[in-house]
Amino acid sequence: MSENFPNRWMWSEACEMLARAERMHKQFFQPVRSPSRQPAWEPPADVLESERDVLVVIALPGVKPERVEVGIDGPDLVVAGARTLPPEVGSAIIHRLELPQGRFERRLRLPPGRYSDVRRKFADGCLLVLLSKAEA
C-alpha cells in the first residue's frame, strides 16, 4: 500500500459525494410529461395533515402569485402555472440556469375527506394552500 493511499482515498470519497449531491440536485425538479399542455417541470411539495386542516406547501421560488392556478380535481389538488425569466435578464449571457423555466403542474393526492374552505398565500418562495376539513 502506498504512502498516499489515505489522501487518494479521501479525495475519491469527496468526489463521489459531490457527484451524488449533483445527481440529487438534478432530481429536485423532475421534468414530467402530460398529454395536454405539456408542463416542463414539477415543483416539490409537502402535504401535512392535522385534526382540522391539510396544509400543502409547494416550492415555487421566482413564480409570481398571479401566474399560479390552484384547483381541486376529484381527490387531487392541482397546482399549475409558469415561471419565466425576469425582464431584467434582457440579453444577458446566462452562465448557469438551474431553476426550471416554463409551464409547471403538480397533482397531489389529498387525504380522504371533504374540505369546506381553501385558502392560499405565498411566503418565502412557497405557495401555502390550507384546506379546512368539513365537519361530518
Side-chain angles (χ1 to χ4, degrees):
M1 205 179 311
S2 89
E3 198 171 291
N4 287 334
F5 175 74
N7 290 338
R8 280 188 282 155
W9 176 79
M10 289 173 55
W11 179 252
S12 171
E13 286 295 307
C15 289
E16 177 56 35
M17 288 176 73
L18 286 170
R20 194 171 349 153
E22 183 71 23
R23 284 192 302 273
M24 289 175 69
H25 179 75
K26 287 179 180 177
Q27 290 174 351
F28 189 71
F29 290 106
Q30 278 292 343
V32 295
R33 301 285 183 254
S34 171
S36 64
R37 291 178 40 188
Q38 293 264 347
W41 60 285
E42 184 176 82
D46 295 329
V47 179
L48 311 158
E49 182 178 13
S50 70
E51 281 185 34
R52 298 186 328 190
D53 302 303
V54 172
L55 174 65
V56 180
V57 181
I58 303 161
L60 294 172
V63 177
K64 295 177 180 169
E66 61 270 11
R67 306 260 338 214
V68 178
E69 301 169 10
V70 178
I72 295 179
D73 180 20
D76 298 334
L77 177 72
V78 181
V79 178
R83 177 190 290 126
T84 56
L85 289 173
E88 295 81 20
V89 171
S91 61
I93 297 171
I94 298 172
H95 293 276
R96 189 171 187 109
L97 190 63
E98 292 185 1
L99 293 175
Q101 305 296 315
R103 180 168 153 54
F104 64 86
E105 180 176 299
R106 184 68 194 259
R107 297 180 81 79
L108 298 159
R109 182 63 44 113
L110 293 170
R114 295 178 46 127
Y115 301 99
S116 61
D117 187 28
V118 179
R119 291 171 290 185
R120 65 181 244 180
K121 71 175 186 175
F122 268 82
D124 300 324
C126 291
L127 170 65
L128 305 166
V129 179
L130 185 68
L131 301 113
S132 299
K133 293 180 180 179
E135 295 186 26

Short mmCIF file of all heavy atoms in Angstrom, two decimals, residues 71-127:
data_model
loop_
_atom_site.label_atom_id
_atom_site.label_comp_id
_atom_site.label_asym_id
_atom_site.label_seq_id
_atom_site.Cartn_x
_atom_site.Cartn_y
_atom_site.Cartn_z
N GLY A 71 -56.59 24.34 -7.95
CA GLY A 71 -57.93 23.77 -8.02
C GLY A 71 -57.96 22.36 -7.48
O GLY A 71 -56.92 21.73 -7.28
N ILE A 72 -59.16 21.88 -7.23
CA ILE A 72 -59.34 20.51 -6.78
C ILE A 72 -60.00 19.74 -7.91
O ILE A 72 -61.02 20.16 -8.45
CB ILE A 72 -60.17 20.45 -5.49
CG1 ILE A 72 -59.40 21.12 -4.35
CG2 ILE A 72 -60.49 19.00 -5.13
CD1 ILE A 72 -60.12 21.15 -3.03
N ASP A 73 -59.39 18.61 -8.28
CA ASP A 73 -59.91 17.76 -9.35
C ASP A 73 -60.09 16.37 -8.76
O ASP A 73 -59.14 15.60 -8.65
CB ASP A 73 -58.91 17.74 -10.51
CG ASP A 73 -59.38 16.88 -11.67
OD1 ASP A 73 -60.60 16.61 -11.76
OD2 ASP A 73 -58.53 16.47 -12.48
N GLY A 74 -61.33 16.07 -8.32
CA GLY A 74 -61.60 14.80 -7.66
C GLY A 74 -60.82 14.72 -6.36
O GLY A 74 -60.90 15.63 -5.54
N PRO A 75 -59.99 13.69 -6.20
CA PRO A 75 -59.23 13.55 -4.95
C PRO A 75 -57.89 14.30 -4.96
O PRO A 75 -57.13 14.21 -4.01
CB PRO A 75 -58.99 12.05 -4.87
CG PRO A 75 -58.90 11.62 -6.29
CD PRO A 75 -59.88 12.50 -7.04
N ASP A 76 -57.61 15.05 -6.04
CA ASP A 76 -56.31 15.70 -6.20
C ASP A 76 -56.37 17.21 -6.08
O ASP A 76 -57.33 17.84 -6.54
CB ASP A 76 -55.71 15.37 -7.57
CG ASP A 76 -55.45 13.90 -7.77
OD1 ASP A 76 -55.25 13.19 -6.77
OD2 ASP A 76 -55.44 13.46 -8.93
N LEU A 77 -55.33 17.77 -5.50
CA LEU A 77 -55.10 19.21 -5.57
C LEU A 77 -54.21 19.44 -6.78
O LEU A 77 -53.19 18.75 -6.94
CB LEU A 77 -54.40 19.72 -4.31
CG LEU A 77 -54.06 21.21 -4.31
CD1 LEU A 77 -55.34 22.04 -4.14
CD2 LEU A 77 -53.09 21.53 -3.19
N VAL A 78 -54.60 20.35 -7.66
CA VAL A 78 -53.83 20.62 -8.87
C VAL A 78 -53.31 22.04 -8.80
O VAL A 78 -54.07 22.99 -8.60
CB VAL A 78 -54.69 20.44 -10.14
CG1 VAL A 78 -53.86 20.71 -11.38
CG2 VAL A 78 -55.30 19.05 -10.18
N VAL A 79 -51.99 22.18 -8.93
CA VAL A 79 -51.35 23.49 -8.94
C VAL A 79 -50.61 23.61 -10.27
O VAL A 79 -49.82 22.73 -10.62
CB VAL A 79 -50.36 23.64 -7.77
CG1 VAL A 79 -49.66 24.98 -7.81
CG2 VAL A 79 -51.08 23.46 -6.44
N ALA A 80 -50.91 24.68 -11.02
CA ALA A 80 -50.30 24.86 -12.33
C ALA A 80 -49.96 26.32 -12.53
O ALA A 80 -50.53 27.20 -11.89
CB ALA A 80 -51.25 24.39 -13.43
N GLY A 81 -49.02 26.57 -13.40
CA GLY A 81 -48.61 27.94 -13.70
C GLY A 81 -47.37 27.95 -14.55
O GLY A 81 -47.08 26.98 -15.25
N ALA A 82 -46.63 29.07 -14.46
CA ALA A 82 -45.42 29.20 -15.27
C ALA A 82 -44.40 30.09 -14.57
O ALA A 82 -44.77 31.02 -13.87
CB ALA A 82 -45.76 29.77 -16.64
N ARG A 83 -43.16 29.76 -14.77
CA ARG A 83 -42.06 30.62 -14.32
C ARG A 83 -41.34 31.09 -15.57
O ARG A 83 -41.02 30.28 -16.45
CB ARG A 83 -41.06 29.88 -13.43
CG ARG A 83 -39.90 30.81 -13.05
CD ARG A 83 -38.72 30.11 -12.38
NE ARG A 83 -39.06 29.68 -11.05
CZ ARG A 83 -38.92 28.42 -10.62
NH1 ARG A 83 -38.46 27.50 -11.41
NH2 ARG A 83 -39.24 28.10 -9.40
N THR A 84 -41.11 32.38 -15.67
CA THR A 84 -40.39 32.95 -16.80
C THR A 84 -39.19 33.73 -16.28
O THR A 84 -39.18 34.18 -15.12
CB THR A 84 -41.29 33.88 -17.63
OG1 THR A 84 -41.81 34.89 -16.77
CG2 THR A 84 -42.44 33.12 -18.26
N LEU A 85 -38.23 33.90 -17.13
CA LEU A 85 -37.07 34.70 -16.75
C LEU A 85 -37.49 36.14 -16.53
O LEU A 85 -38.34 36.67 -17.27
CB LEU A 85 -36.00 34.65 -17.85
CG LEU A 85 -35.27 33.33 -18.02
CD1 LEU A 85 -34.38 33.37 -19.25
CD2 LEU A 85 -34.44 33.02 -16.79
N PRO A 86 -36.93 36.81 -15.53
CA PRO A 86 -37.31 38.21 -15.29
C PRO A 86 -36.86 39.09 -16.46
O PRO A 86 -35.85 38.80 -17.11
CB PRO A 86 -36.56 38.58 -14.01
CG PRO A 86 -35.56 37.51 -13.79
CD PRO A 86 -35.97 36.31 -14.58
N PRO A 87 -37.61 40.17 -16.73
CA PRO A 87 -37.27 41.03 -17.87
C PRO A 87 -35.90 41.69 -17.71
O PRO A 87 -35.28 42.06 -18.70
CB PRO A 87 -38.39 42.08 -17.89
CG PRO A 87 -39.09 41.95 -16.59
CD PRO A 87 -38.81 40.61 -16.03
N GLU A 88 -35.40 41.79 -16.48
CA GLU A 88 -34.09 42.40 -16.25
C GLU A 88 -32.96 41.61 -16.91
O GLU A 88 -31.89 42.13 -17.16
CB GLU A 88 -33.80 42.53 -14.75
CG GLU A 88 -34.72 43.45 -14.00
CD GLU A 88 -36.04 42.80 -13.63
OE1 GLU A 88 -36.14 41.55 -13.60
OE2 GLU A 88 -37.00 43.54 -13.36
N VAL A 89 -33.23 40.32 -17.16
CA VAL A 89 -32.21 39.48 -17.78
C VAL A 89 -31.90 40.00 -19.18
O VAL A 89 -30.75 40.03 -19.60
CB VAL A 89 -32.67 38.00 -17.82
CG1 VAL A 89 -31.72 37.17 -18.65
CG2 VAL A 89 -32.77 37.46 -16.41
N GLY A 90 -32.94 40.45 -19.90
CA GLY A 90 -32.75 41.03 -21.23
C GLY A 90 -31.90 40.16 -22.12
O GLY A 90 -32.20 39.00 -22.37
N SER A 91 -30.79 40.71 -22.57
CA SER A 91 -29.89 39.98 -23.46
C SER A 91 -28.64 39.51 -22.71
O SER A 91 -27.60 39.33 -23.31
CB SER A 91 -29.52 40.86 -24.65
OG SER A 91 -28.84 42.01 -24.16
N ALA A 92 -28.77 39.30 -21.42
CA ALA A 92 -27.63 38.87 -20.61
C ALA A 92 -27.15 37.49 -21.04
O ALA A 92 -27.91 36.68 -21.56
CB ALA A 92 -28.02 38.84 -19.13
N ILE A 93 -25.90 37.25 -20.80
CA ILE A 93 -25.33 35.92 -21.04
C ILE A 93 -25.59 35.09 -19.79
O ILE A 93 -25.24 35.49 -18.69
CB ILE A 93 -23.81 36.02 -21.30
CG1 ILE A 93 -23.55 36.82 -22.57
CG2 ILE A 93 -23.20 34.63 -21.40
CD1 ILE A 93 -22.09 37.15 -22.78
N ILE A 94 -26.24 33.96 -19.97
CA ILE A 94 -26.57 33.09 -18.83
C ILE A 94 -25.44 32.09 -18.66
O ILE A 94 -25.16 31.30 -19.57
CB ILE A 94 -27.92 32.39 -19.06
CG1 ILE A 94 -29.03 33.44 -19.16
CG2 ILE A 94 -28.19 31.39 -17.95
CD1 ILE A 94 -30.36 32.89 -19.56
N HIS A 95 -24.81 32.11 -17.51
CA HIS A 95 -23.72 31.18 -17.23
C HIS A 95 -24.21 29.92 -16.55
O HIS A 95 -23.59 28.87 -16.66
CB HIS A 95 -22.66 31.86 -16.34
CG HIS A 95 -21.95 32.96 -17.05
ND1 HIS A 95 -20.88 32.74 -17.88
CD2 HIS A 95 -22.18 34.29 -17.08
CE1 HIS A 95 -20.47 33.89 -18.39
NE2 HIS A 95 -21.25 34.85 -17.92
N ARG A 96 -25.29 30.04 -15.81
CA ARG A 96 -25.86 28.86 -15.15
C ARG A 96 -27.35 29.11 -14.96
O ARG A 96 -27.75 30.17 -14.52
CB ARG A 96 -25.18 28.64 -13.81
CG ARG A 96 -25.55 27.35 -13.15
CD ARG A 96 -24.68 27.11 -11.93
NE ARG A 96 -24.90 25.81 -11.39
CZ ARG A 96 -24.05 24.81 -11.46
NH1 ARG A 96 -22.90 24.98 -12.05
NH2 ARG A 96 -24.34 23.65 -10.93
N LEU A 97 -28.17 28.13 -15.28
CA LEU A 97 -29.62 28.25 -15.14
C LEU A 97 -30.13 26.94 -14.55
O LEU A 97 -30.33 25.97 -15.25
CB LEU A 97 -30.26 28.53 -16.50
CG LEU A 97 -31.72 28.90 -16.51
CD1 LEU A 97 -31.96 30.21 -15.77
CD2 LEU A 97 -32.23 29.03 -17.93
N GLU A 98 -30.31 26.93 -13.23
CA GLU A 98 -30.73 25.71 -12.54
C GLU A 98 -32.21 25.70 -12.21
O GLU A 98 -32.81 24.64 -12.10
CB GLU A 98 -29.91 25.51 -11.27
CG GLU A 98 -28.47 25.20 -11.56
CD GLU A 98 -27.67 24.89 -10.32
OE1 GLU A 98 -28.24 24.89 -9.21
OE2 GLU A 98 -26.47 24.66 -10.46
N LEU A 99 -32.80 26.86 -11.98
CA LEU A 99 -34.24 26.91 -11.70
C LEU A 99 -34.98 26.66 -13.01
O LEU A 99 -34.76 27.36 -13.99
CB LEU A 99 -34.64 28.26 -11.12
CG LEU A 99 -34.09 28.58 -9.74
CD1 LEU A 99 -34.47 30.00 -9.33
CD2 LEU A 99 -34.59 27.59 -8.72
N PRO A 100 -35.86 25.67 -13.02
CA PRO A 100 -36.58 25.36 -14.26
C PRO A 100 -37.50 26.51 -14.67
O PRO A 100 -38.06 27.20 -13.83
CB PRO A 100 -37.38 24.11 -13.92
CG PRO A 100 -37.34 23.96 -12.46
CD PRO A 100 -36.24 24.79 -11.92
N GLN A 101 -37.61 26.71 -15.96
CA GLN A 101 -38.46 27.75 -16.53
C GLN A 101 -39.58 27.10 -17.31
O GLN A 101 -39.50 25.96 -17.72
CB GLN A 101 -37.64 28.66 -17.46
CG GLN A 101 -36.41 29.26 -16.83
CD GLN A 101 -36.73 30.19 -15.69
OE1 GLN A 101 -37.61 31.03 -15.78
NE2 GLN A 101 -36.00 30.05 -14.59
N GLY A 102 -40.63 27.88 -17.54
CA GLY A 102 -41.73 27.38 -18.36
C GLY A 102 -42.90 26.90 -17.51
O GLY A 102 -42.99 27.15 -16.31
N ARG A 103 -43.79 26.19 -18.17
CA ARG A 103 -45.02 25.73 -17.53
C ARG A 103 -44.75 24.60 -16.55
O ARG A 103 -43.94 23.73 -16.80
CB ARG A 103 -45.99 25.26 -18.62
CG ARG A 103 -47.30 24.77 -18.08
CD ARG A 103 -48.33 24.58 -19.15
NE ARG A 103 -49.32 23.59 -18.82
CZ ARG A 103 -50.06 23.56 -17.72
NH1 ARG A 103 -49.92 24.49 -16.81
NH2 ARG A 103 -50.95 22.62 -17.51
N PHE A 104 -45.45 24.64 -15.41
CA PHE A 104 -45.36 23.55 -14.44
C PHE A 104 -46.75 23.11 -14.04
O PHE A 104 -47.72 23.84 -14.21
CB PHE A 104 -44.57 23.98 -13.18
CG PHE A 104 -45.23 25.08 -12.40
CD1 PHE A 104 -46.19 24.81 -11.45
CD2 PHE A 104 -44.87 26.40 -12.61
CE1 PHE A 104 -46.80 25.83 -10.73
CE2 PHE A 104 -45.46 27.42 -11.89
CZ PHE A 104 -46.44 27.14 -10.95
N GLU A 105 -46.82 21.89 -13.54
CA GLU A 105 -48.07 21.37 -12.99
C GLU A 105 -47.73 20.31 -11.96
O GLU A 105 -46.83 19.52 -12.16
CB GLU A 105 -48.93 20.75 -14.08
CG GLU A 105 -50.24 20.21 -13.54
CD GLU A 105 -51.15 19.67 -14.63
OE1 GLU A 105 -51.54 20.45 -15.50
OE2 GLU A 105 -51.43 18.47 -14.60
N ARG A 106 -48.46 20.35 -10.84
CA ARG A 106 -48.28 19.34 -9.80
C ARG A 106 -49.65 18.87 -9.34
O ARG A 106 -50.50 19.67 -8.99
CB ARG A 106 -47.50 19.94 -8.63
CG ARG A 106 -47.18 18.94 -7.52
CD ARG A 106 -46.17 17.91 -8.03
NE ARG A 106 -46.07 16.77 -7.14
CZ ARG A 106 -45.11 16.57 -6.27
NH1 ARG A 106 -44.14 17.45 -6.15
NH2 ARG A 106 -45.10 15.51 -5.52
N ARG A 107 -49.85 17.56 -9.39
CA ARG A 107 -51.08 16.94 -8.89
C ARG A 107 -50.73 16.19 -7.62
O ARG A 107 -49.84 15.35 -7.64
CB ARG A 107 -51.66 15.98 -9.92
CG ARG A 107 -52.08 16.64 -11.21
CD ARG A 107 -52.66 15.64 -12.19
NE ARG A 107 -54.05 15.33 -11.92
CZ ARG A 107 -55.08 16.10 -12.25
NH1 ARG A 107 -54.87 17.26 -12.84
NH2 ARG A 107 -56.30 15.75 -11.96
N LEU A 108 -51.43 16.52 -6.54
CA LEU A 108 -51.17 15.90 -5.25
C LEU A 108 -52.43 15.23 -4.73
O LEU A 108 -53.48 15.88 -4.63
CB LEU A 108 -50.69 16.95 -4.24
CG LEU A 108 -49.38 17.64 -4.62
CD1 LEU A 108 -49.26 18.96 -3.89
CD2 LEU A 108 -48.22 16.74 -4.30
N ARG A 109 -52.34 13.97 -4.39
CA ARG A 109 -53.47 13.25 -3.83
C ARG A 109 -53.70 13.78 -2.41
O ARG A 109 -52.79 13.77 -1.59
CB ARG A 109 -53.18 11.75 -3.81
CG ARG A 109 -54.28 10.85 -3.29
CD ARG A 109 -55.57 10.87 -4.11
NE ARG A 109 -55.40 10.80 -5.53
CZ ARG A 109 -55.76 9.79 -6.29
NH1 ARG A 109 -56.34 8.74 -5.78
NH2 ARG A 109 -55.58 9.85 -7.59
N LEU A 110 -54.91 14.24 -2.15
CA LEU A 110 -55.26 14.76 -0.83
C LEU A 110 -55.71 13.62 0.08
O LEU A 110 -56.23 12.61 -0.40
CB LEU A 110 -56.40 15.79 -0.95
CG LEU A 110 -56.03 17.08 -1.68
CD1 LEU A 110 -57.27 17.91 -1.95
CD2 LEU A 110 -55.01 17.87 -0.88
N PRO A 111 -55.53 13.78 1.39
CA PRO A 111 -56.06 12.77 2.31
C PRO A 111 -57.58 12.66 2.11
O PRO A 111 -58.24 13.65 1.80
CB PRO A 111 -55.72 13.32 3.69
CG PRO A 111 -54.57 14.25 3.47
CD PRO A 111 -54.79 14.83 2.10
N PRO A 112 -58.15 11.49 2.28
CA PRO A 112 -59.59 11.31 2.08
C PRO A 112 -60.39 12.26 2.99
O PRO A 112 -59.97 12.55 4.10
CB PRO A 112 -59.85 9.86 2.46
CG PRO A 112 -58.52 9.20 2.46
CD PRO A 112 -57.49 10.25 2.69
N GLY A 113 -61.51 12.71 2.50
CA GLY A 113 -62.37 13.59 3.28
C GLY A 113 -62.94 14.70 2.43
O GLY A 113 -62.70 14.78 1.23
N ARG A 114 -63.69 15.58 3.10
CA ARG A 114 -64.29 16.75 2.43
C ARG A 114 -63.67 18.00 3.01
O ARG A 114 -63.33 18.05 4.18
CB ARG A 114 -65.80 16.75 2.65
CG ARG A 114 -66.48 15.56 2.00
CD ARG A 114 -67.95 15.59 2.29
NE ARG A 114 -68.48 16.93 2.06
CZ ARG A 114 -69.50 17.23 1.30
NH1 ARG A 114 -70.15 16.28 0.72
NH2 ARG A 114 -69.92 18.46 1.16
N TYR A 115 -63.57 19.01 2.16
CA TYR A 115 -62.94 20.26 2.57
C TYR A 115 -63.92 21.41 2.38
O TYR A 115 -64.56 21.52 1.35
CB TYR A 115 -61.66 20.48 1.78
CG TYR A 115 -60.69 19.33 1.99
CD1 TYR A 115 -60.59 18.31 1.05
CD2 TYR A 115 -59.94 19.25 3.13
CE1 TYR A 115 -59.74 17.24 1.25
CE2 TYR A 115 -59.08 18.18 3.35
CZ TYR A 115 -58.99 17.18 2.41
OH TYR A 115 -58.16 16.12 2.62
N SER A 116 -64.04 22.26 3.42
CA SER A 116 -65.03 23.33 3.37
C SER A 116 -64.44 24.68 2.96
O SER A 116 -65.14 25.54 2.48
CB SER A 116 -65.70 23.48 4.75
OG SER A 116 -64.73 23.81 5.73
N ASP A 117 -63.15 24.85 3.15
CA ASP A 117 -62.55 26.15 2.88
C ASP A 117 -61.15 25.92 2.32
O ASP A 117 -60.40 25.10 2.83
CB ASP A 117 -62.48 26.96 4.18
CG ASP A 117 -62.02 28.39 3.95
OD1 ASP A 117 -62.25 28.93 2.86
OD2 ASP A 117 -61.40 28.95 4.87
N VAL A 118 -60.81 26.67 1.27
CA VAL A 118 -59.48 26.58 0.67
C VAL A 118 -58.88 27.98 0.68
O VAL A 118 -59.46 28.90 0.11
CB VAL A 118 -59.54 26.03 -0.77
CG1 VAL A 118 -58.16 25.98 -1.38
CG2 VAL A 118 -60.21 24.67 -0.80
N ARG A 119 -57.75 28.12 1.37
CA ARG A 119 -57.05 29.41 1.41
C ARG A 119 -55.64 29.22 0.87
O ARG A 119 -55.03 28.18 1.09
CB ARG A 119 -57.00 29.95 2.84
CG ARG A 119 -58.37 30.38 3.34
CD ARG A 119 -58.33 30.69 4.79
NE ARG A 119 -58.14 29.38 5.46
CZ ARG A 119 -58.15 29.22 6.77
NH1 ARG A 119 -58.28 30.23 7.55
NH2 ARG A 119 -58.00 28.02 7.29
N ARG A 120 -55.15 30.25 0.21
CA ARG A 120 -53.79 30.17 -0.32
C ARG A 120 -53.06 31.47 -0.09
O ARG A 120 -53.67 32.54 -0.04
CB ARG A 120 -53.79 29.82 -1.79
CG ARG A 120 -54.42 30.88 -2.66
CD ARG A 120 -54.43 30.50 -4.10
NE ARG A 120 -53.59 31.44 -4.83
CZ ARG A 120 -53.37 31.39 -6.12
NH1 ARG A 120 -53.91 30.46 -6.84
NH2 ARG A 120 -52.62 32.26 -6.71
N LYS A 121 -51.73 31.36 0.09
CA LYS A 121 -50.89 32.55 0.20
C LYS A 121 -49.46 32.16 -0.17
O LYS A 121 -49.10 30.99 -0.16
CB LYS A 121 -50.95 33.16 1.59
CG LYS A 121 -50.26 32.36 2.67
CD LYS A 121 -50.27 33.12 3.99
CE LYS A 121 -49.45 32.38 5.03
NZ LYS A 121 -49.34 33.11 6.27
N PHE A 122 -48.67 33.16 -0.53
CA PHE A 122 -47.27 32.95 -0.84
C PHE A 122 -46.44 33.44 0.33
O PHE A 122 -46.72 34.50 0.90
CB PHE A 122 -46.86 33.72 -2.09
CG PHE A 122 -47.00 32.93 -3.35
CD1 PHE A 122 -48.22 32.80 -3.98
CD2 PHE A 122 -45.90 32.30 -3.90
CE1 PHE A 122 -48.36 32.07 -5.13
CE2 PHE A 122 -46.02 31.55 -5.06
CZ PHE A 122 -47.26 31.44 -5.68
N ALA A 123 -45.41 32.66 0.71
CA ALA A 123 -44.49 33.05 1.77
C ALA A 123 -43.13 32.41 1.51
O ALA A 123 -43.06 31.20 1.27
CB ALA A 123 -45.03 32.63 3.13
N ASP A 124 -42.10 33.21 1.53
CA ASP A 124 -40.72 32.70 1.40
C ASP A 124 -40.52 31.81 0.18
O ASP A 124 -39.85 30.78 0.25
CB ASP A 124 -40.31 31.95 2.67
CG ASP A 124 -40.37 32.82 3.92
OD1 ASP A 124 -40.05 34.02 3.80
OD2 ASP A 124 -40.75 32.31 4.97
N GLY A 125 -41.09 32.20 -0.95
CA GLY A 125 -40.90 31.44 -2.18
C GLY A 125 -41.74 30.18 -2.28
O GLY A 125 -41.52 29.36 -3.16
N CYS A 126 -42.68 30.01 -1.35
CA CYS A 126 -43.54 28.83 -1.37
C CYS A 126 -45.00 29.23 -1.44
O CYS A 126 -45.40 30.25 -0.89
CB CYS A 126 -43.33 28.00 -0.11
SG CYS A 126 -41.72 27.21 -0.02
N LEU A 127 -45.78 28.41 -2.11
CA LEU A 127 -47.23 28.55 -2.11
C LEU A 127 -47.74 27.69 -0.96
O LEU A 127 -47.41 26.50 -0.87
CB LEU A 127 -47.83 28.07 -3.42
CG LEU A 127 -49.35 27.92 -3.47
CD1 LEU A 127 -50.03 29.28 -3.30
CD2 LEU A 127 -49.78 27.26 -4.76
#
